[in-house]
Amino acid sequence: MADVEVPGYRLHAEIGRGARSRVYSASHRARGGTFAIKVTKVPIDDPRVAEQFLEGGQAAGKLEHPNIVRVLEVGKLDGGYYRVMELVRGGDLEHNLASGLHLQNLLMATKDVAAALDYAHGRGVVHGDLRPGNILFDEQGAVRVSGFAMPASTAVGVSPYCSPEQAAGGPLSPRSDFYSLGVILYQMLTGRLPNGNRTGGAGGTVVRLHEPPLPLQLDAFRPVVDRLLAKSPGDRFENGLQLAAALDDLRARDAVPDAAVRTEAVTAQEIESAENSHARLKPASPGETRSPLPFRGPVLAAVLISVIAVAAGVGYVSDQSGWSRALAFLGLAPHPDAALAWEQAEDLASDRNQSLSAVVSAYRRVLAIDASHVGAVEAIESAAERWRSEIDAALAASELGLADAKLDELATVFPLDVELGRLVRRFEVQSQVQELLAGTSRQLARRGLGDVRAVDAAIASYKGVLRLDPGNERAARGLTEIALHYGAAAEGLAATDFAAARDSLERAVAADAQFPGIDAVRSTLRAAEDVQEEIEGDLQRAADLRQAGALISPAEANPLDVYRGVLAIDPDNEVALQAVSEIAATVLAQFDGLLRDGTLEAAREFKDLAAAADIGDDLLAQMDTRYDQELQRIATVLDLIAKAEELYRQGYVTGPNPDNNAVALLREALRLDPDNSDGIRLLSVSATRLADVAGEAYTVGLRHEALQYLDLALAVTPGIGRWRAQREQWQAEIAPLGPGSE
């Protein structure tokens, strides 16, 4: 590791390599968290390569899709470049084939890759280097594609997965990626590349002389494979939807063998272990209640025996370690590494000096091995709760630096934590309060209470503090001091300069409308000569400003400010009171309109303008509340969709909890934001996934479970005619078999 340094990251173990690149697991030195970093060695004197790599990384970083590995950062090193990506822990395609993939799951994986390609192609990004090493599986078995927009010039030679036009140096297109997917699909089905009959081309490229054969038992796949591997791009699938439809047609015709593909031989010990597992998976009798099914479980459990029986015939194999992990994933055996990982996590957690990231990562390693480990789940929640308590304690003690550091780590490790918003808001409030008080103190110390601009700014700052922290004694004391100072000034100026006296009284009332001695000051001003004439003139001027459309701006020539000057002297003036009430109602209505339009930045600026105009504490409190509610609504929608997407990735589309699954969360998000495009899209994708699982279940003989899943799909999107027709067909086929037919 000594020869590789990535700024800001600590590299741990090498987890993958290519001809010109290495992939490492890594953690961020400041924020924590575990990532994958791909370091690519390319000539640093080639500006074209540098531009391709950096621009490609930026393009890949904009791809956000459930089947694409996110690129988080791209940068340049001495003699090379790097990409920081999500760490996907389930291994690549070759690793998963070693442990065995049922053909149904192989089709699902192919559809996942096609969906990722469709999404990227729709945003103008062609992969160009699709290969088994770029097809990863997460811990729940879903496919994640990596390596988008890597410059082709970083590769050595030409990949056996590249299309004929790419091998010939021609331009890439989306259909080039589908050719590569065809090579991978052929390799998954047969265990070899489709280049058995070949001849050397220019630069060592491979040119196929004719379509490769498939084993007889897989002949149903031939139309799909032939179309993917067509020499002319125009003869290939145009997009992933066409490919998915062709694969769905294979399943609908029951053309997919009940078999698995593996890259290592099945042992007698594995067969014995699987038979014992199968004995524990007997179907429920007609009188028993079936337990809820996990998303992928029905298909995997039902085909377990047929995987082993057919795998040898297809010619694939596995080692004992890989099979043990497969059984552990199915919940049929304890994982051999889970106990050791648990002990290491417990040791780490007992050290109070360890970071939250380190502790949680240790427990997550346990869950990566054994997803059903209850102790690890509880330990992670306990660590999060302890961290929240420490943040609250730091804020209570005004230790903002410590609170900030702990908040940053909590946000990194638990970005969807339900308490994160509250803690961040509390931190922001305390930070604003301290900043406002410190700035106001400095300003008044330099300029003194005689500087009206400094005083007006201080009044606004102190009132801002009290809105954030209503019981703040320092702000309340500062406002009273200003009010007393200007109240005394108003009383002293009443006999000599009525206009200046009125301005002083208005400033005193703005600071504290109930300051001690206010009644005496008002009596003095009302006794002054021509006071009534001054008030009448002010009321007329304010009316003219309102007629011109002004309300709370500009700062020194708006009707609200004029009416407030009248009320400073005559607090019972009915005309001024009514006008201020009407202005307040109009301002609140305009603010609500900005919120409804979704223009939050404009709403915030308008609220700040109202605060600067001193529209009134009650009205500002209403505006603050409504603004915060809108922010919370938006944050809640984003949180619901993010959680729904994570549950979808884990396979919990409609279960296990009726109130905590992808569909339930998406429906709540769309209730709060009916036009949210992400929510609408994911809800549709969820329904399609349920229908796909229904087809898988029916194919392997789980007919009643298939109907359950299809009913769930129809409950999400009831208007899909082909699903209704499929349900009627299945129902007709099941009815003659009677209960317990499975």
Side-chain angles (χ1 to χ4, degrees):
M1 303 303 301
D3 62 332
V4 180
E5 289 288 337
V6 177
Y9 293 88
R10 181 181 294 107
L11 272 59
H12 303 306
E14 181 179 312
I15 57 177
R17 66 167 54 198
R20 298 288 297 275
S21 65
R22 300 290 185 271
V23 182
Y24 304 94
S25 62
S27 59
H28 196 280
R29 296 183 184 274
R31 298 192 303 270
T34 307
F35 308 92
I37 297 184
K38 183 171 187 176
V39 179
T40 303
K41 296 293 184 181
V42 295
I44 60 174
D45 57 350
D46 188 342
R48 183 177 61 86
V49 171
E51 183 178 359
Q52 282 182 337
F53 190 97
L54 295 175
E55 288 183 355
Q58 292 167 358
K62 297 177 181 178
L63 301 179
E64 294 189 10
H65 186 272
N67 299 119
I68 294 178
V69 177
R70 290 183 60 198
V71 175
L72 306 173
E73 184 181 333
V74 184
K76 182 177 180 180
L77 299 172
D78 183 16
Y81 301 85
Y82 69 91
R83 285 187 181 186
V84 181
M85 304 172 289
E86 289 181 284
L87 180 62
V88 182
R89 303 178 185 272
D92 62 16
L93 180 60
E94 291 180 350
H95 171 83
N96 281 268
L97 281 172
S99 296
L101 278 178
H102 190 273
L103 289 175
Q104 295 288 352
N105 296 96
L106 183 148
L107 294 190
M108 288 296 297
T110 305
K111 289 178 64 176
D112 283 350
V113 176
L117 293 176
D118 261 0
Y119 173 86
H121 295 162
R123 283 149 182 79
V125 178
V126 176
H127 193 293
D129 189 28
L130 193 64
R131 61 180 72 205
N134 285 329
I135 299 176
L136 310 178
F137 288 76
D138 64 21
E139 294 164 23
Q140 289 75 39
V143 164
R144 311 286 298 280
V145 181
S146 69
F148 277 95
M150 289 290 288
S153 51
T154 64
V156 175
V158 177
S159 163
Y161 301 94
C162 70
S163 63
E165 61 270 19
Q166 184 177 0
L172 295 180
S173 71
R175 298 194 190 199
S176 301
D177 284 341
F178 284 109
Y179 181 94
S180 300
L181 181 55
V183 177
I184 294 169
L185 177 59
Y186 180 88
Q187 186 179 16
M188 286 193 290
L189 292 171
T190 67
R192 62 181 183 276
L193 291 167
N195 298 315
N197 297 302
R198 58 193 178 187
T199 182
T205 64
V206 174
V207 179
R208 285 192 297 110
L209 299 178
H210 54 75
E211 298 298 332
L214 284 172
L216 290 178
Q217 63 268 37
L218 300 176
D219 191 62
F221 287 88
R222 171 166 292 283
V224 174
V225 172
D226 285 352
R227 189 169 177 186
L228 283 169
L229 295 179
K231 296 182 180 65
S232 171
D235 294 333
R236 299 173 200 151
F237 289 104
E238 183 178 352
N239 52 52
L241 289 176
Q242 290 183 357
L243 173 57
L247 296 175
D248 287 341
D249 181 62
L250 289 179
R251 293 193 301 183
R253 294 188 287 107
D254 290 331
V256 181
D258 189 10
V261 290
R262 301 177 59 180
T263 54
E264 295 182 358
V266 181
T267 67
Q269 186 176 1
E270 291 172 356
I271 295 175
E272 180 181 358
S273 173
E275 288 173 344
N276 293 335
S277 300
H278 184 60
R280 297 195 299 271
L281 291 172
K282 293 185 295 183
S285 64
E288 295 179 9
T289 301
R290 295 178 181 271
S291 60
L293 296 172
F295 186 68
R296 295 179 182 268
V299 176
L300 290 176
V303 303
L304 185 59
I305 298 305
S306 58
V307 166
I308 294 175
V310 183
V314 178
Y316 292 171
V317 254
S318 175
D319 60 19
Q320 180 60 30
S321 174
W323 185 251
S324 297
R325 285 164 173 74
L327 290 178
F329 178 78
L330 291 171
L332 305 177
H335 199 288
D337 299 333
L340 177 60
W342 170 256
E343 290 178 6
Q344 293 172 343
E346 289 284 88
D347 289 343
L348 203 64
S350 65
D351 182 358
R352 303 290 290 187
N353 294 319
Q354 289 293 336
S355 67
L356 178 67
S357 174
V359 172
V360 172
S361 294
Y363 285 117
R364 283 178 174 168
R365 282 194 291 273
V366 177
L367 291 175
I369 299 169
D370 180 3
S372 63
H373 199 291
V374 176
V377 174
E378 293 175 348
I380 288 173
E381 177 52 37
S382 177
E385 180 57 36
R386 176 175 65 84
W387 212 255
R388 296 185 206 107
S389 298
E390 291 177 358
I391 293 171
D392 274 323
L395 291 173
S398 296
E399 297 176 350
L400 296 187
L402 177 60
D404 188 23
K406 287 185 173 293
L407 260 177
D408 185 56
E409 187 161 15
L410 181 66
T412 300
V413 180
F414 297 106
L416 301 179
D417 188 274
V418 294
E419 287 288 294
L420 190 59
R422 176 188 68 81
L423 292 169
V424 168
R425 177 60 178 162
R426 187 179 174 194
F427 172 81
E428 290 176 346
V429 165
Q430 290 207 18
S431 298
Q432 286 180 268
V433 165
Q434 289 197 11
E435 183 179 351
L436 286 170
L437 289 175
T440 302
S441 296
R442 288 194 301 270
Q443 188 86 336
L444 289 178
R446 284 200 306 267
R447 299 189 179 183
L449 290 177
D451 189 318
V452 294
R453 290 190 176 182
V455 168
D456 287 344
I459 292 172
S461 293
Y462 283 141
K463 288 198 168 187
V465 168
L466 289 174
R467 284 197 301 276
L468 295 168
D469 182 11
N472 191 282
E473 294 182 1
R474 186 174 168 187
R477 186 170 59 250
L479 288 172
T480 300
E481 290 175 358
I482 292 173
L484 289 171
H485 176 87
Y486 279 91
E491 194 168 16
L493 291 168
T496 58
D497 190 343
F498 179 80
R502 183 187 58 191
D503 288 345
S504 293
L505 179 58
E506 183 180 352
R507 189 163 285 109
V509 171
D512 183 355
Q514 303 297 327
F515 71 88
I518 186 174
D519 291 337
V521 178
R522 280 175 172 157
S523 296
T524 301
L525 264 68
R526 282 200 295 267
E529 267 186 62
D530 302 326
V531 63
Q532 193 58 42
E533 185 177 342
E534 289 282 348
I535 288 176
E536 292 296 333
D538 285 344
L539 291 175
Q540 184 58 52
R541 183 159 61 93
D544 292 342
L545 289 171
R546 290 183 68 189
Q547 185 67 29
L551 286 177
I552 57 175
S553 62
E556 298 179 356
N558 64 76
L560 180 65
D561 186 58
V562 178
Y563 286 128
R564 191 174 291 111
V566 171
L567 292 172
I569 302 171
D570 183 9
D572 299 322
N573 188 285
E574 293 183 359
V575 174
L577 288 172
Q578 179 64 29
V580 168
S581 177
E582 291 173 357
I583 290 173
T586 302
V587 167
L588 187 59
Q590 291 179 352
F591 178 72
D592 286 342
L594 292 172
L595 290 180
R596 283 194 303 272
D597 293 341
T599 52
L600 290 182
E601 183 63 24
R604 187 189 61 77
E605 292 175 356
F606 188 78
K607 180 167 67 74
D608 292 344
L609 182 63
D614 200 8
I615 192 70
D617 292 342
D618 290 343
L619 185 65
L620 283 173
Q622 291 185 58
M623 296 172 76
D624 283 338
T625 298
R626 297 183 188 190
Y627 185 79
D628 289 344
Q629 287 174 343
E630 181 63 13
L631 288 180
Q632 183 60 46
R633 184 188 70 83
I634 293 172
T636 299
V637 169
L638 293 175
D639 181 56
L640 286 169
I641 291 176
K643 288 180 177 178
E645 188 166 1
E646 180 61 26
L647 287 170
Y648 172 84
R649 288 178 180 176
Q650 295 175 9
Y652 297 119
V653 179
T654 58
N657 187 321
D659 299 321
N660 188 27
N661 58 69
V663 169
L665 297 185
L666 288 171
R667 282 179 168 158
E668 176 61 16
L670 292 174
R671 183 187 68 79
L672 296 172
D673 185 5
D675 297 324
N676 188 282
S677 58
D678 290 333
I680 293 170
R681 175 190 59 79
L682 189 53
L683 192 64
S684 175
V685 170
S686 297
T688 302
R689 196 65 174 267
L690 286 167
D692 287 343
V693 173
E696 290 183 34
Y698 200 85
T699 299
V700 299
L702 297 174
R703 294 179 173 84
H704 290 288
E705 284 80 355
L707 281 175
Q708 291 174 18
Y709 280 115
L710 196 56
D711 284 341
L712 290 172
L714 287 167
V716 176
T717 52
I720 307 298
R722 70 177 184 278
W723 294 350
R724 291 187 173 278
Q726 183 68 78
R727 191 193 188 287
E728 292 175 2
Q729 178 185 338
W730 288 353
Q731 188 67 49
E733 294 173 356
I734 293 172
L737 301 177
S741 57
E742 297 172 25

